[in-house]
Amino acid sequence: MTAHRVSAPCAPPSRASKAVDPYILALLACVALAAGFPATGVARQAATHAADAAVALLFFLYGARLSAQETLAGLRHWRLQTAIAISTFVLFPVLGLVLSPVLTGVVGARLATGVLFLCLLPSTIQSSIAFTSVARGNVPAAMCAGTCSSLLGMVLTPLLAAGLLGTAVRFDAARLGDLAGSILLPFLAGQAVRRWIGPALVSRRRLLGYIDRGSILLVVYSAFSQGAADGLWNSLSPARLLILLAVDVGLLAVVLGITSTIGRLHVFEPADRITLVFAGSKKSLVNGMPMAAVLFGADAGSVVLPIMIFHQAQLLVCSVIARHWSHAPPPPSPPRPTAPLTALSAAARPTTPKRRASETAPPHQ
């Protein structure tokens, strides 16, 4: 299938091109607030209930905005979508499993669990679309990939966490109920009422963006408040944070290299190669924070730290790549197989009339 390009790449969000994402600064401020003034006693219970409500609201609004028809239409480009899904839910987990035994002895079991959980998360929507657009890639495919990845992540991420993280995740009937009540049921409720409120929500994207980010900030404060009470900061050191930063950047570099190589080897159009690189290398902070809060409870603070670091790294690195590709000439398209020459096609070729001998003879000297 031929890739669809946008005729005029839209400008990226300002936060995607800045050196430091302002939202990361807000997240770090919440972490510092939780470290200095953690919620305790009744305030801790109130913060936990407020964070649970924020998670439910987040997925309800996501369900109300999602168009199932547009997603199904994008799935027609199945080869590209399959490659992105394999990168997100197969390649990343395999790399996380390889790193996990080494990291456990270097940064501790909690942070190693956070890195492996990071590898199980779905891809992003907003930043994948923004960087793909800047680099002149297949924007509709990036939109479909992010949406499908988020939908699959609601099911695959908890299942992969239960299978790969072992005792780090308590996956009992109560936890399943929490997961369904906080994520799946609100999403389905949003889908059910989308026909009535969907258009109004789509026209208020900026306001919804503030609600989404505010919900995440509340989840982060609640998670790190519980982590502070459990001695999270006593187990962290500058050396461990630097190692964690190096691991996240190295993980991103490996996946970017692999997806770029696959894009060159496989039969993908240039615009599809760009989409594969950007959509196949991202991990969603928006989905990861609420899922960590539901799956890990009091241990969520140490688990979400690798996610926050990876989020900033992917914005910085992919911003540089997108700007470079936006000025570079597009790579050549893959060669198309040519039909064999048949007698009919040969006969259909225009033939030049034979020249007479007098026309071909050299002129007299």
Side-chain angles (χ1 to χ4, degrees):
M1 181 178 292
T2 305
H4 300 283
R5 286 198 186 186
V6 289
S7 57
C10 58
S14 58
R15 70 186 189 93
S17 59
K18 292 181 178 179
V20 178
D21 183 11
Y23 189 49
I24 284 291
L25 298 179
L27 289 170
L28 292 177
C30 279
V31 172
L33 183 64
F37 305 95
T40 58
V42 177
R44 178 175 174 177
Q45 294 180 357
T48 301
H49 292 316
D52 293 340
V55 170
L57 175 63
L58 193 70
F59 281 92
F60 171 80
L61 293 175
Y62 180 62
R65 283 175 288 179
L66 176 65
S67 172
Q69 290 80 6
E70 293 178 1
T71 303
L72 292 176
L75 286 177
R76 295 172 185 169
H77 203 345
W78 63 269
R79 187 178 287 110
L80 175 61
Q81 301 300 333
T82 301
I84 294 172
I86 290 175
S87 176
T88 303
F89 294 112
V90 178
L91 174 60
F92 261 109
V94 168
L95 294 175
L97 285 174
V98 172
L99 288 172
S100 186
V102 179
L103 287 178
T104 301
V106 177
V107 298
R110 280 182 166 184
L111 292 178
T113 297
V115 172
L116 182 52
F117 181 69
L118 161 71
C119 295
L120 310 182
L121 294 177
S123 182
T124 64
I125 298 178
Q126 183 179 0
S127 60
S128 294
I129 294 173
F131 291 129
T132 299
S133 176
V134 173
R136 298 173 297 173
N138 188 341
V139 175
M143 187 181 305
C144 176
T147 302
C148 292
S149 184
S150 295
L151 292 175
L152 289 173
M154 292 184 193
V155 178
L156 289 182
T157 297
L159 291 179
L160 288 172
L164 300 180
L165 294 178
T167 57
V169 177
R170 300 195 317 272
F171 216 68
D172 50 17
R175 190 55 58 91
L176 278 173
D178 291 342
L179 191 65
S182 299
I183 295 176
L184 187 57
L185 291 181
F187 173 80
L188 294 177
Q191 278 282 286
V193 300
R194 182 186 180 276
R195 59 180 298 183
W196 294 288
I197 67 174
L201 293 178
V202 171
S203 64
R204 293 170 174 81
R205 291 184 182 274
R206 183 179 295 273
L207 175 61
L208 292 178
Y210 289 131
I211 295 176
D212 290 348
R213 297 182 188 112
S215 300
I216 298 296
L217 293 176
L218 186 56
V219 170
V220 168
Y221 176 76
S222 175
F224 277 93
S225 288
Q226 295 182 16
D230 296 335
L232 168 64
W233 303 113
N234 296 331
S235 61
L236 287 177
S237 65
R240 285 188 171 185
L241 288 177
L242 288 176
I243 293 173
L244 194 60
L245 174 62
V247 169
D248 277 0
V249 172
L251 184 65
L252 177 62
V254 169
V255 176
L256 284 171
I258 292 176
T259 52
S260 179
T261 301
I262 293 175
R264 288 194 299 268
L265 295 179
H266 212 305
V267 187
F268 287 128
E269 294 288 338
D272 294 340
R273 300 176 199 172
I274 293 170
T275 305
L276 173 60
V277 169
F278 287 127
S281 62
K282 299 287 183 300
K283 288 297 177 180
S284 175
L285 178 78
V286 173
N287 287 340
M289 295 293 194
M291 286 187 180
V294 174
L295 291 174
F296 295 95
D299 295 329
S302 56
V303 172
V304 301
L305 199 56
I307 302 174
M308 294 169 57
I309 295 175
F310 189 88
H311 176 77
Q312 177 62 38
Q314 70 184 6
L315 289 182
L316 284 173
V317 174
C318 291
S319 177
V320 173
I321 296 175
R323 284 197 295 264
H324 172 71
W325 283 353
S326 68
H327 300 296
S333 299
R336 298 284 186 182
T338 57
L341 183 65
T342 62
L344 182 61
S345 61
R349 283 186 173 182
T351 57
T352 53
K354 294 183 178 180
R355 296 183 178 182
R356 295 191 301 270
S358 59
E359 294 175 343
T360 59
H364 295 285
Q365 300 293 330

